Amino acid sequence: MRKLKLLLIVAAVPLSVFAEEIKLPTGADDLKRGKSLYMGACTYCHGPTGDGGKGADLSRRDLRSAKTDGDLARIIEVGLPGTEMPGMMHMTRNEVLQTAAFVRTLGRAETPAAALTGNAAKGEALYAKHNCAACHTIDSKGGFMGPDLSVIGSRRSATHLREAIVDPSITVPNNFLYTTLTLEGGRNITGARLWEDSFIINVRDFAGNNHSIDKSRVTQVTKEQKKSPMPSYKEKLSAAQIEDLVAYMAARKEAR
Ligand code: HEC
Ligand code: HEC
C-alpha cells in the first residue's frame, strides 16, 4: 500500500525522472561521453572549461541552483524555466547523467582563468562615476534601457561580464537589440527593442523614453543583430579598471 502511494506521488511530478538521490557515473567511458555531449550542447553558452560565455559559471565547486547531483541532472534535463538555460529534452536519461558527471569535473579543476583580480569597491565607484545607472538598475535604482544587474553575478560568468563592457556587440541578448523604427511621416525612433507581439513593438530610446508603437504605423524596422545600444568602455577604462568593474558585478549574487 505504501509503495503504491509513493508511485502516485512520483507520477504527479512528471517534469523529471530524477529522484533526489542519484548516483552520477564515474567510469572513464562515461566521462568521455559526457565531455563530448557537453562540448556539443553546452560550450556555446558555458565555454569549454565552464567559465565563459553567456551562461552561468560552472567551473565552481558550489553551483547556485545545482546543489545536489539530482538538481544538476534535473536542470540539464528541463532547464531553468524563466532563464536562458534550455532543457535538453533530446538527451536520454543516461546521457543527462554522463553530462552531469562531466560538469562536476569542471568544478573540481581549479581554473585560474576565472579568478577575479579586480577590486569590487573600486568597481562600484567606477559604476557610479561612468553613470552605468543611466541604463541599468541595481536594487531598484537606475534606468531601464539595459538589463537589471542586481544579481548579474549569478546569471553570467566573469568572461561574459568582461566582454559586455569591452565589446557589448558580441553578446546582445535578443530582447535588447539595437533597433530603428521608421514611422509614417518619416520620424525615426532608435533604441533597444524590449519586446514585441503581432501588433505592438516596444522600444526604449536613448533618452530613456518608452515607446509602444502600433505596428501598422511603422513603415520600416531595422534590427541590428551585431550592434549593442550599450557603448563600449574599452577606450574609457584601463584594463585594471575593467577588472574592478567585473569584480563588482561578479559579486552581485542572489542571496542564498
Ligand atoms: C543558450 C545558452 C545555454 C545553453 C546552451 C546551456 N546553458 Fe546552462 N545556463 C545558461 C544560463 C544563462 C544560465 C543561468 C540561468 C540563471 O540562473 O539565470 C545557466 C545555468 C546553468 C546551470 C546552473 C548553474 C548554477 O550555478 O547552479 C547549470 C548546471 C547549467 N546551466 C548546465 C548546462 C549544461 C550541462 C548545458 C549543456 C547540456 C547547458 N547548461 C547549456 C545558458 C545556457
Ligand atoms: C546607453 C545605455 C547603457 C549604458 C550607459 C551602459 N549600458 Fe550596459 N547595457 C546596455 C544595454 C542596452 C545592454 C544589453 C545589450 C548588450 O548586452 O549589449 C547592456 C548590457 C550590459 C551587460 C550585460 C548584461 C547581460 O545580462 O548579459 C553588462 C554586464 C553591462 N551592460 C554593464 C554595464 C556597465 C558596467 C556600464 C557602465 C560602465 C554600462 N553597462 C553602461 C545599455 C547601457
Side-chain angles (χ1 to χ4, degrees), residues 127 130-132 134-136 145-147 149 152 155-156 160-161 164-165 168-169 171-173 176 192 206 228-231 233 237 245 249:
Y127 184 91
H130 288 273
N131 201 15
C132 310
C135 296
H136 292 284
M145 182 160 190
L149 301 180
I152 188 74
R155 287 194 295 113
R156 307 291 197 190
H160 174 96
L161 296 175
I165 299 171
S169 56
T171 50
V172 185
F176 291 96
F206 286 94
S228 172
M230 173 162 157
Y233 287 86
L237 298 168
L245 263 175
M249 286 187 289

PDB file of all heavy atoms in Angstrom, residues 127 130-132 134-136 145-147 149 152 155-156 160-161 164-165 168-169 171-173 176 192 206 228-231 233 237 245 249, ligand 2:
ATOM      1  N   TYR A 127      31.325  52.345 -11.428  1.00  0.00           N
ATOM      2  CA  TYR A 127      29.948  52.190 -11.889  1.00  0.00           C
ATOM      3  C   TYR A 127      29.201  53.513 -11.704  1.00  0.00           C
ATOM      4  O   TYR A 127      28.460  53.961 -12.585  1.00  0.00           O
ATOM      5  CB  TYR A 127      29.275  51.066 -11.094  1.00  0.00           C
ATOM      6  CG  TYR A 127      27.864  50.728 -11.527  1.00  0.00           C
ATOM      7  CD1 TYR A 127      27.634  49.754 -12.497  1.00  0.00           C
ATOM      8  CD2 TYR A 127      26.763  51.370 -10.955  1.00  0.00           C
ATOM      9  CE1 TYR A 127      26.340  49.431 -12.894  1.00  0.00           C
ATOM     10  CE2 TYR A 127      25.469  51.056 -11.347  1.00  0.00           C
ATOM     11  CZ  TYR A 127      25.265  50.087 -12.315  1.00  0.00           C
ATOM     12  OH  TYR A 127      23.986  49.777 -12.710  1.00  0.00           O
ATOM     13  N   HIS A 130      30.897  56.452 -14.070  1.00  0.00           N
ATOM     14  CA  HIS A 130      30.580  56.373 -15.500  1.00  0.00           C
ATOM     15  C   HIS A 130      29.072  56.294 -15.757  1.00  0.00           C
ATOM     16  O   HIS A 130      28.641  56.033 -16.879  1.00  0.00           O
ATOM     17  CB  HIS A 130      31.319  55.204 -16.151  1.00  0.00           C
ATOM     18  CG  HIS A 130      32.780  55.467 -16.276  1.00  0.00           C
ATOM     19  ND1 HIS A 130      33.323  56.116 -17.358  1.00  0.00           N
ATOM     20  CD2 HIS A 130      33.806  55.220 -15.422  1.00  0.00           C
ATOM     21  CE1 HIS A 130      34.639  56.235 -17.170  1.00  0.00           C
ATOM     22  NE2 HIS A 130      34.953  55.695 -16.012  1.00  0.00           N
ATOM     23  N   ASN A 131      28.313  56.476 -14.710  1.00  0.00           N
ATOM     24  CA  ASN A 131      26.866  56.579 -14.819  1.00  0.00           C
ATOM     25  C   ASN A 131      26.220  55.386 -15.528  1.00  0.00           C
ATOM     26  O   ASN A 131      25.356  55.530 -16.383  1.00  0.00           O
ATOM     27  CB  ASN A 131      26.483  57.881 -15.537  1.00  0.00           C
ATOM     28  CG  ASN A 131      25.044  58.272 -15.218  1.00  0.00           C
ATOM     29  OD1 ASN A 131      24.463  57.735 -14.260  1.00  0.00           O
ATOM     30  ND2 ASN A 131      24.466  59.159 -16.002  1.00  0.00           N
ATOM     31  N   CYS A 132      26.658  54.204 -15.186  1.00  0.00           N
ATOM     32  CA  CYS A 132      26.060  52.978 -15.730  1.00  0.00           C
ATOM     33  C   CYS A 132      24.582  52.931 -15.351  1.00  0.00           C
ATOM     34  O   CYS A 132      23.767  52.351 -16.071  1.00  0.00           O
ATOM     35  CB  CYS A 132      26.768  51.749 -15.185  1.00  0.00           C
ATOM     36  SG  CYS A 132      28.568  51.805 -15.319  1.00  0.00           S
ATOM     37  N   ALA A 134      22.451  55.093 -15.594  1.00  0.00           N
ATOM     38  CA  ALA A 134      21.557  55.755 -16.544  1.00  0.00           C
ATOM     39  C   ALA A 134      20.752  54.701 -17.304  1.00  0.00           C
ATOM     40  O   ALA A 134      19.608  54.929 -17.677  1.00  0.00           O
ATOM     41  CB  ALA A 134      22.367  56.603 -17.521  1.00  0.00           C
ATOM     42  N   CYS A 135      21.349  53.545 -17.545  1.00  0.00           N
ATOM     43  CA  CYS A 135      20.681  52.495 -18.324  1.00  0.00           C
ATOM     44  C   CYS A 135      20.398  51.222 -17.528  1.00  0.00           C
ATOM     45  O   CYS A 135      19.627  50.386 -17.970  1.00  0.00           O
ATOM     46  CB  CYS A 135      21.532  52.115 -19.531  1.00  0.00           C
ATOM     47  SG  CYS A 135      21.763  53.459 -20.710  1.00  0.00           S
ATOM     48  N   HIS A 136      21.080  51.042 -16.393  1.00  0.00           N
ATOM     49  CA  HIS A 136      20.940  49.778 -15.658  1.00  0.00           C
ATOM     50  C   HIS A 136      20.390  50.008 -14.259  1.00  0.00           C
ATOM     51  O   HIS A 136      20.691  51.013 -13.628  1.00  0.00           O
ATOM     52  CB  HIS A 136      22.300  49.087 -15.511  1.00  0.00           C
ATOM     53  CG  HIS A 136      22.852  48.589 -16.803  1.00  0.00           C
ATOM     54  ND1 HIS A 136      22.376  47.458 -17.426  1.00  0.00           N
ATOM     55  CD2 HIS A 136      23.839  49.076 -17.598  1.00  0.00           C
ATOM     56  CE1 HIS A 136      23.054  47.273 -18.543  1.00  0.00           C
ATOM     57  NE2 HIS A 136      23.942  48.237 -18.690  1.00  0.00           N
ATOM     58  N   MET A 145      17.037  50.971 -19.756  1.00  0.00           N
ATOM     59  CA  MET A 145      17.352  50.688 -21.148  1.00  0.00           C
ATOM     60  C   MET A 145      18.084  49.352 -21.272  1.00  0.00           C
ATOM     61  O   MET A 145      17.910  48.617 -22.236  1.00  0.00           O
ATOM     62  CB  MET A 145      18.211  51.794 -21.728  1.00  0.00           C
ATOM     63  CG  MET A 145      18.480  51.515 -23.180  1.00  0.00           C
ATOM     64  SD  MET A 145      18.971  52.984 -24.013  1.00  0.00           S
ATOM     65  CE  MET A 145      18.911  52.413 -25.676  1.00  0.00           C
ATOM     66  N   GLY A 146      18.932  49.041 -20.321  1.00  0.00           N
ATOM     67  CA  GLY A 146      19.657  47.771 -20.334  1.00  0.00           C
ATOM     68  C   GLY A 146      19.110  46.821 -19.283  1.00  0.00           C
ATOM     69  O   GLY A 146      18.224  47.188 -18.517  1.00  0.00           O
ATOM     70  N   PRO A 147      19.646  45.590 -19.253  1.00  0.00           N
ATOM     71  CA  PRO A 147      19.166  44.598 -18.285  1.00  0.00           C
ATOM     72  C   PRO A 147      19.421  45.010 -16.836  1.00  0.00           C
ATOM     73  O   PRO A 147      20.357  45.741 -16.549  1.00  0.00           O
ATOM     74  CB  PRO A 147      20.003  43.360 -18.623  1.00  0.00           C
ATOM     75  CG  PRO A 147      20.630  43.601 -19.938  1.00  0.00           C
ATOM     76  CD  PRO A 147      20.686  45.072 -20.148  1.00  0.00           C
ATOM     77  N   LEU A 149      20.901  44.622 -13.334  1.00  0.00           N
ATOM     78  CA  LEU A 149      22.171  43.994 -12.956  1.00  0.00           C
ATOM     79  C   LEU A 149      22.222  43.581 -11.481  1.00  0.00           C
ATOM     80  O   LEU A 149      23.282  43.248 -10.960  1.00  0.00           O
ATOM     81  CB  LEU A 149      23.342  44.944 -13.264  1.00  0.00           C
ATOM     82  CG  LEU A 149      23.516  45.404 -14.720  1.00  0.00           C
ATOM     83  CD1 LEU A 149      24.723  46.346 -14.843  1.00  0.00           C
ATOM     84  CD2 LEU A 149      23.683  44.226 -15.667  1.00  0.00           C
ATOM     85  N   ILE A 152      23.504  40.060 -11.396  1.00  0.00           N
ATOM     86  CA  ILE A 152      24.191  39.692 -12.632  1.00  0.00           C
ATOM     87  C   ILE A 152      25.299  38.649 -12.384  1.00  0.00           C
ATOM     88  O   ILE A 152      25.564  37.793 -13.233  1.00  0.00           O
ATOM     89  CB  ILE A 152      24.751  40.961 -13.335  1.00  0.00           C
ATOM     90  CG1 ILE A 152      25.306  40.644 -14.726  1.00  0.00           C
ATOM     91  CG2 ILE A 152      25.813  41.667 -12.507  1.00  0.00           C
ATOM     92  CD1 ILE A 152      24.268  40.394 -15.755  1.00  0.00           C
ATOM     93  N   ARG A 155      23.972  35.256 -12.785  1.00  0.00           N
ATOM     94  CA  ARG A 155      23.455  34.880 -14.097  1.00  0.00           C
ATOM     95  C   ARG A 155      24.539  34.724 -15.153  1.00  0.00           C
ATOM     96  O   ARG A 155      24.352  34.005 -16.121  1.00  0.00           O
ATOM     97  CB  ARG A 155      22.437  35.925 -14.575  1.00  0.00           C
ATOM     98  CG  ARG A 155      21.116  35.871 -13.854  1.00  0.00           C
ATOM     99  CD  ARG A 155      20.035  36.674 -14.579  1.00  0.00           C
ATOM    100  NE  ARG A 155      20.314  38.088 -14.615  1.00  0.00           N
ATOM    101  CZ  ARG A 155      20.594  38.772 -15.722  1.00  0.00           C
ATOM    102  NH1 ARG A 155      20.663  38.156 -16.889  1.00  0.00           N
ATOM    103  NH2 ARG A 155      20.817  40.066 -15.673  1.00  0.00           N
ATOM    104  N   ARG A 156      25.646  35.449 -14.996  1.00  0.00           N
ATOM    105  CA  ARG A 156      26.652  35.461 -16.058  1.00  0.00           C
ATOM    106  C   ARG A 156      28.034  35.185 -15.505  1.00  0.00           C
ATOM    107  O   ARG A 156      28.351  35.575 -14.375  1.00  0.00           O
ATOM    108  CB  ARG A 156      26.678  36.841 -16.734  1.00  0.00           C
ATOM    109  CG  ARG A 156      25.351  37.337 -17.240  1.00  0.00           C
ATOM    110  CD  ARG A 156      24.853  36.558 -18.414  1.00  0.00           C
ATOM    111  NE  ARG A 156      23.801  37.285 -19.121  1.00  0.00           N
ATOM    112  CZ  ARG A 156      23.060  36.759 -20.074  1.00  0.00           C
ATOM    113  NH1 ARG A 156      23.204  35.500 -20.425  1.00  0.00           N
ATOM    114  NH2 ARG A 156      22.153  37.485 -20.682  1.00  0.00           N
ATOM    115  N   HIS A 160      31.885  36.710 -19.570  1.00  0.00           N
ATOM    116  CA  HIS A 160      30.802  37.433 -20.239  1.00  0.00           C
ATOM    117  C   HIS A 160      30.752  38.887 -19.760  1.00  0.00           C
ATOM    118  O   HIS A 160      30.549  39.805 -20.554  1.00  0.00           O
ATOM    119  CB  HIS A 160      29.470  36.733 -19.965  1.00  0.00           C
ATOM    120  CG  HIS A 160      28.278  37.483 -20.506  1.00  0.00           C
ATOM    121  ND1 HIS A 160      27.711  37.186 -21.725  1.00  0.00           N
ATOM    122  CD2 HIS A 160      27.557  38.518 -20.001  1.00  0.00           C
ATOM    123  CE1 HIS A 160      26.701  38.021 -21.937  1.00  0.00           C
ATOM    124  NE2 HIS A 160      26.576  38.830 -20.908  1.00  0.00           N
ATOM    125  N   LEU A 161      30.929  39.097 -18.468  1.00  0.00           N
ATOM    126  CA  LEU A 161      30.858  40.461 -17.915  1.00  0.00           C
ATOM    127  C   LEU A 161      31.954  41.327 -18.526  1.00  0.00           C
ATOM    128  O   LEU A 161      31.726  42.482 -18.894  1.00  0.00           O
ATOM    129  CB  LEU A 161      31.000  40.431 -16.389  1.00  0.00           C
ATOM    130  CG  LEU A 161      29.872  39.705 -15.652  1.00  0.00           C
ATOM    131  CD1 LEU A 161      30.167  39.619 -14.161  1.00  0.00           C
ATOM    132  CD2 LEU A 161      28.540  40.414 -15.885  1.00  0.00           C
ATOM    133  N   ALA A 164      31.015  42.115 -22.015  1.00  0.00           N
ATOM    134  CA  ALA A 164      29.888  43.053 -22.084  1.00  0.00           C
ATOM    135  C   ALA A 164      30.371  44.496 -21.970  1.00  0.00           C
ATOM    136  O   ALA A 164      29.785  45.401 -22.556  1.00  0.00           O
ATOM    137  CB  ALA A 164      28.877  42.739 -20.974  1.00  0.00           C
ATOM    138  N   ILE A 165      31.449  44.720 -21.225  1.00  0.00           N
ATOM    139  CA  ILE A 165      31.953  46.087 -21.026  1.00  0.00           C
ATOM    140  C   ILE A 165      32.870  46.516 -22.172  1.00  0.00           C
ATOM    141  O   ILE A 165      32.799  47.631 -22.663  1.00  0.00           O
ATOM    142  CB  ILE A 165      32.739  46.176 -19.695  1.00  0.00           C
ATOM    143  CG1 ILE A 165      31.817  45.844 -18.526  1.00  0.00           C
ATOM    144  CG2 ILE A 165      33.333  47.557 -19.508  1.00  0.00           C
ATOM    145  CD1 ILE A 165      32.553  45.706 -17.220  1.00  0.00           C
ATOM    146  N   PRO A 168      30.399  45.220 -26.182  1.00  0.00           N
ATOM    147  CA  PRO A 168      28.996  44.842 -25.944  1.00  0.00           C
ATOM    148  C   PRO A 168      28.330  44.198 -27.156  1.00  0.00           C
ATOM    149  O   PRO A 168      27.393  43.431 -27.006  1.00  0.00           O
ATOM    150  CB  PRO A 168      28.312  46.173 -25.612  1.00  0.00           C
ATOM    151  CG  PRO A 168      29.397  47.141 -25.321  1.00  0.00           C
ATOM    152  CD  PRO A 168      30.633  46.657 -26.011  1.00  0.00           C
ATOM    153  N   SER A 169      28.843  44.474 -28.342  1.00  0.00           N
ATOM    154  CA  SER A 169      28.150  43.956 -29.524  1.00  0.00           C
ATOM    155  C   SER A 169      28.308  42.451 -29.690  1.00  0.00           C
ATOM    156  O   SER A 169      27.572  41.823 -30.442  1.00  0.00           O
ATOM    157  CB  SER A 169      28.661  44.661 -30.777  1.00  0.00           C
ATOM    158  OG  SER A 169      30.048  44.507 -30.850  1.00  0.00           O
ATOM    159  N   THR A 171      27.672  40.082 -27.480  1.00  0.00           N
ATOM    160  CA  THR A 171      26.650  39.275 -26.808  1.00  0.00           C
ATOM    161  C   THR A 171      25.410  40.096 -26.508  1.00  0.00           C
ATOM    162  O   THR A 171      25.131  40.388 -25.361  1.00  0.00           O
ATOM    163  CB  THR A 171      27.174  38.747 -25.462  1.00  0.00           C
ATOM    164  OG1 THR A 171      27.725  39.872 -24.760  1.00  0.00           O
ATOM    165  CG2 THR A 171      28.235  37.696 -25.657  1.00  0.00           C
ATOM    166  N   VAL A 172      24.694  40.496 -27.507  1.00  0.00           N
ATOM    167  CA  VAL A 172      23.471  41.259 -27.260  1.00  0.00           C
ATOM    168  C   VAL A 172      22.308  40.292 -27.034  1.00  0.00           C
ATOM    169  O   VAL A 172      21.990  39.508 -27.915  1.00  0.00           O
ATOM    170  CB  VAL A 172      23.134  42.165 -28.452  1.00  0.00           C
ATOM    171  CG1 VAL A 172      21.936  43.033 -28.121  1.00  0.00           C
ATOM    172  CG2 VAL A 172      24.321  43.036 -28.812  1.00  0.00           C
ATOM    173  N   PRO A 173      21.693  40.308 -25.837  1.00  0.00           N
ATOM    174  CA  PRO A 173      20.523  39.455 -25.638  1.00  0.00           C
ATOM    175  C   PRO A 173      19.415  39.875 -26.613  1.00  0.00           C
ATOM    176  O   PRO A 173      19.311  41.053 -26.960  1.00  0.00           O
ATOM    177  CB  PRO A 173      20.099  39.731 -24.201  1.00  0.00           C
ATOM    178  CG  PRO A 173      21.222  40.474 -23.560  1.00  0.00           C
ATOM    179  CD  PRO A 173      21.977  41.138 -24.676  1.00  0.00           C
ATOM    180  N   PHE A 176      17.271  43.032 -26.307  1.00  0.00           N
ATOM    181  CA  PHE A 176      17.866  44.367 -26.255  1.00  0.00           C
ATOM    182  C   PHE A 176      18.511  44.736 -27.587  1.00  0.00           C
ATOM    183  O   PHE A 176      19.516  45.426 -27.633  1.00  0.00           O
ATOM    184  CB  PHE A 176      18.897  44.458 -25.122  1.00  0.00           C
ATOM    185  CG  PHE A 176      18.263  44.409 -23.760  1.00  0.00           C
ATOM    186  CD1 PHE A 176      18.175  43.221 -23.068  1.00  0.00           C
ATOM    187  CD2 PHE A 176      17.726  45.543 -23.182  1.00  0.00           C
ATOM    188  CE1 PHE A 176      17.575  43.163 -21.827  1.00  0.00           C
ATOM    189  CE2 PHE A 176      17.127  45.496 -21.936  1.00  0.00           C
ATOM    190  CZ  PHE A 176      17.049  44.304 -21.256  1.00  0.00           C
ATOM    191  N   ALA A 192      16.673  50.359 -27.786  1.00  0.00           N
ATOM    192  CA  ALA A 192      16.696  48.915 -27.563  1.00  0.00           C
ATOM    193  C   ALA A 192      15.276  48.370 -27.698  1.00  0.00           C
ATOM    194  O   ALA A 192      14.354  48.881 -27.073  1.00  0.00           O
ATOM    195  CB  ALA A 192      17.237  48.605 -26.169  1.00  0.00           C
ATOM    196  N   PHE A 206      17.240  56.335 -26.333  1.00  0.00           N
ATOM    197  CA  PHE A 206      18.437  56.674 -25.571  1.00  0.00           C
ATOM    198  C   PHE A 206      18.171  57.714 -24.489  1.00  0.00           C
ATOM    199  O   PHE A 206      18.974  57.888 -23.583  1.00  0.00           O
ATOM    200  CB  PHE A 206      19.567  57.130 -26.507  1.00  0.00           C
ATOM    201  CG  PHE A 206      20.166  55.979 -27.254  1.00  0.00           C
ATOM    202  CD1 PHE A 206      19.726  55.644 -28.523  1.00  0.00           C
ATOM    203  CD2 PHE A 206      21.153  55.198 -26.662  1.00  0.00           C
ATOM    204  CE1 PHE A 206      20.264  54.555 -29.197  1.00  0.00           C
ATOM    205  CE2 PHE A 206      21.699  54.103 -27.325  1.00  0.00           C
ATOM    206  CZ  PHE A 206      21.249  53.787 -28.589  1.00  0.00           C
ATOM    207  N   SER A 228      25.162  46.804 -30.271  1.00  0.00           N
ATOM    208  CA  SER A 228      24.522  46.932 -28.969  1.00  0.00           C
ATOM    209  C   SER A 228      24.167  48.385 -28.703  1.00  0.00           C
ATOM    210  O   SER A 228      24.916  49.285 -29.074  1.00  0.00           O
ATOM    211  CB  SER A 228      25.470  46.450 -27.876  1.00  0.00           C
ATOM    212  OG  SER A 228      24.912  46.756 -26.615  1.00  0.00           O
ATOM    213  N   PRO A 229      23.039  48.629 -28.038  1.00  0.00           N
ATOM    214  CA  PRO A 229      22.722  50.005 -27.615  1.00  0.00           C
ATOM    215  C   PRO A 229      23.721  50.493 -26.563  1.00  0.00           C
ATOM    216  O   PRO A 229      23.785  51.681 -26.274  1.00  0.00           O
ATOM    217  CB  PRO A 229      21.324  49.877 -27.005  1.00  0.00           C
ATOM    218  CG  PRO A 229      20.800  48.560 -27.471  1.00  0.00           C
ATOM    219  CD  PRO A 229      21.987  47.683 -27.690  1.00  0.00           C
ATOM    220  N   MET A 230      24.489  49.575 -25.994  1.00  0.00           N
ATOM    221  CA  MET A 230      25.457  49.977 -24.960  1.00  0.00           C
ATOM    222  C   MET A 230      26.778  50.392 -25.597  1.00  0.00           C
ATOM    223  O   MET A 230      27.279  49.712 -26.472  1.00  0.00           O
ATOM    224  CB  MET A 230      25.692  48.798 -24.014  1.00  0.00           C
ATOM    225  CG  MET A 230      26.807  49.059 -23.024  1.00  0.00           C
ATOM    226  SD  MET A 230      26.741  47.930 -21.639  1.00  0.00           S
ATOM    227  CE  MET A 230      28.452  48.026 -21.113  1.00  0.00           C
ATOM    228  N   PRO A 231      27.353  51.538 -25.150  1.00  0.00           N
ATOM    229  CA  PRO A 231      28.648  51.934 -25.694  1.00  0.00           C
ATOM    230  C   PRO A 231      29.757  51.028 -25.166  1.00  0.00           C
ATOM    231  O   PRO A 231      29.630  50.475 -24.085  1.00  0.00           O
ATOM    232  CB  PRO A 231      28.832  53.363 -25.151  1.00  0.00           C
ATOM    233  CG  PRO A 231      28.026  53.406 -23.899  1.00  0.00           C
ATOM    234  CD  PRO A 231      26.858  52.478 -24.114  1.00  0.00           C
ATOM    235  N   TYR A 233      33.330  50.402 -23.401  1.00  0.00           N
ATOM    236  CA  TYR A 233      34.150  51.163 -22.457  1.00  0.00           C
ATOM    237  C   TYR A 233      35.634  50.853 -22.622  1.00  0.00           C
ATOM    238  O   TYR A 233      36.449  51.193 -21.776  1.00  0.00           O
ATOM    239  CB  TYR A 233      33.678  50.898 -21.026  1.00  0.00           C
ATOM    240  CG  TYR A 233      32.358  51.581 -20.750  1.00  0.00           C
ATOM    241  CD1 TYR A 233      31.154  50.963 -21.078  1.00  0.00           C
ATOM    242  CD2 TYR A 233      32.318  52.870 -20.236  1.00  0.00           C
ATOM    243  CE1 TYR A 233      29.947  51.602 -20.878  1.00  0.00           C
ATOM    244  CE2 TYR A 233      31.112  53.525 -20.034  1.00  0.00           C
ATOM    245  CZ  TYR A 233      29.927  52.885 -20.355  1.00  0.00           C
ATOM    246  OH  TYR A 233      28.743  53.524 -20.165  1.00  0.00           O
ATOM    247  N   LEU A 237      38.217  53.054 -20.136  1.00  0.00           N
ATOM    248  CA  LEU A 237      38.677  52.450 -18.885  1.00  0.00           C
ATOM    249  C   LEU A 237      40.002  51.734 -19.115  1.00  0.00           C
ATOM    250  O   LEU A 237      40.225  51.168 -20.189  1.00  0.00           O
ATOM    251  CB  LEU A 237      37.642  51.430 -18.394  1.00  0.00           C
ATOM    252  CG  LEU A 237      36.240  51.941 -18.059  1.00  0.00           C
ATOM    253  CD1 LEU A 237      35.283  50.775 -17.871  1.00  0.00           C
ATOM    254  CD2 LEU A 237      36.265  52.794 -16.802  1.00  0.00           C
ATOM    255  N   LEU A 245      35.479  46.629 -12.316  1.00  0.00           N
ATOM    256  CA  LEU A 245      34.042  46.589 -12.619  1.00  0.00           C
ATOM    257  C   LEU A 245      33.539  45.145 -12.680  1.00  0.00           C
ATOM    258  O   LEU A 245      32.456  44.828 -12.184  1.00  0.00           O
ATOM    259  CB  LEU A 245      33.769  47.272 -13.959  1.00  0.00           C
ATOM    260  CG  LEU A 245      33.314  48.729 -13.906  1.00  0.00           C
ATOM    261  CD1 LEU A 245      33.214  49.283 -15.313  1.00  0.00           C
ATOM    262  CD2 LEU A 245      31.969  48.875 -13.191  1.00  0.00           C
ATOM    263  N   MET A 249      30.588  43.465 -10.386  1.00  0.00           N
ATOM    264  CA  MET A 249      29.378  42.819 -10.904  1.00  0.00           C
ATOM    265  C   MET A 249      29.327  41.338 -10.552  1.00  0.00           C
ATOM    266  O   MET A 249      28.268  40.799 -10.251  1.00  0.00           O
ATOM    267  CB  MET A 249      29.282  43.034 -12.407  1.00  0.00           C
ATOM    268  CG  MET A 249      28.870  44.468 -12.717  1.00  0.00           C
ATOM    269  SD  MET A 249      28.554  44.694 -14.451  1.00  0.00           S
ATOM    270  CE  MET A 249      30.217  44.582 -15.051  1.00  0.00           C
TER     271      MET A 249
HETATM  272  C1  HEC B   2      23.274  53.832 -23.080  1.00  0.00           C
HETATM  273  C2  HEC B   2      22.833  52.837 -22.147  1.00  0.00           C
HETATM  274  C3  HEC B   2      23.874  51.994 -21.419  1.00  0.00           C
HETATM  275  C4  HEC B   2      24.931  52.419 -20.626  1.00  0.00           C
HETATM  276  C5  HEC B   2      25.383  53.826 -20.322  1.00  0.00           C
HETATM  277  C6  HEC B   2      25.548  51.212 -20.081  1.00  0.00           C
HETATM  278  N1  HEC B   2      24.885  50.100 -20.547  1.00  0.00           N
HETATM  279 FE1  HEC B   2      25.325  48.176 -20.096  1.00  0.00          FE
HETATM  280  N2  HEC B   2      23.894  47.545 -21.411  1.00  0.00           N
HETATM  281  C7  HEC B   2      23.005  48.350 -22.099  1.00  0.00           C
HETATM  282  C8  HEC B   2      22.162  47.529 -22.939  1.00  0.00           C
HETATM  283  C9  HEC B   2      21.051  48.019 -23.865  1.00  0.00           C
HETATM  284  C10 HEC B   2      22.573  46.180 -22.740  1.00  0.00           C
HETATM  285  C11 HEC B   2      22.000  44.922 -23.406  1.00  0.00           C
HETATM  286  C12 HEC B   2      22.645  44.718 -24.757  1.00  0.00           C
HETATM  287  C13 HEC B   2      24.021  44.116 -24.669  1.00  0.00           C
HETATM  288  O1  HEC B   2      24.228  43.164 -23.901  1.00  0.00           O
HETATM  289  O2  HEC B   2      24.909  44.573 -25.413  1.00  0.00           O
HETATM  290  C14 HEC B   2      23.662  46.235 -21.771  1.00  0.00           C
HETATM  291  C15 HEC B   2      24.322  45.113 -21.277  1.00  0.00           C
HETATM  292  C16 HEC B   2      25.206  45.123 -20.198  1.00  0.00           C
HETATM  293  C17 HEC B   2      25.729  43.944 -19.564  1.00  0.00           C
HETATM  294  C18 HEC B   2      25.386  42.508 -19.929  1.00  0.00           C
HETATM  295  C19 HEC B   2      24.108  42.119 -19.219  1.00  0.00           C
HETATM  296  C20 HEC B   2      23.678  40.702 -19.504  1.00  0.00           C
HETATM  297  O3  HEC B   2      22.608  40.287 -18.975  1.00  0.00           O
HETATM  298  O4  HEC B   2      24.358  39.992 -20.229  1.00  0.00           O
HETATM  299  C21 HEC B   2      26.558  44.365 -18.558  1.00  0.00           C
HETATM  300  C22 HEC B   2      27.329  43.482 -17.600  1.00  0.00           C
HETATM  301  C23 HEC B   2      26.563  45.816 -18.585  1.00  0.00           C
HETATM  302  N3  HEC B   2      25.724  46.232 -19.602  1.00  0.00           N
HETATM  303  C24 HEC B   2      27.295  46.616 -17.726  1.00  0.00           C
HETATM  304  C25 HEC B   2      27.406  47.997 -17.855  1.00  0.00           C
HETATM  305  C26 HEC B   2      28.325  48.813 -17.097  1.00  0.00           C
HETATM  306  C27 HEC B   2      29.266  48.283 -16.025  1.00  0.00           C
HETATM  307  C28 HEC B   2      28.154  50.105 -17.519  1.00  0.00           C
HETATM  308  C29 HEC B   2      28.926  51.333 -17.104  1.00  0.00           C
HETATM  309  C30 HEC B   2      30.375  51.270 -17.209  1.00  0.00           C
HETATM  310  C31 HEC B   2      27.123  50.087 -18.556  1.00  0.00           C
HETATM  311  N4  HEC B   2      26.697  48.790 -18.712  1.00  0.00           N
HETATM  312  C32 HEC B   2      26.639  51.211 -19.212  1.00  0.00           C
HETATM  313  C33 HEC B   2      22.944  49.722 -22.019  1.00  0.00           C
HETATM  314  C34 HEC B   2      23.865  50.544 -21.367  1.00  0.00           C
END
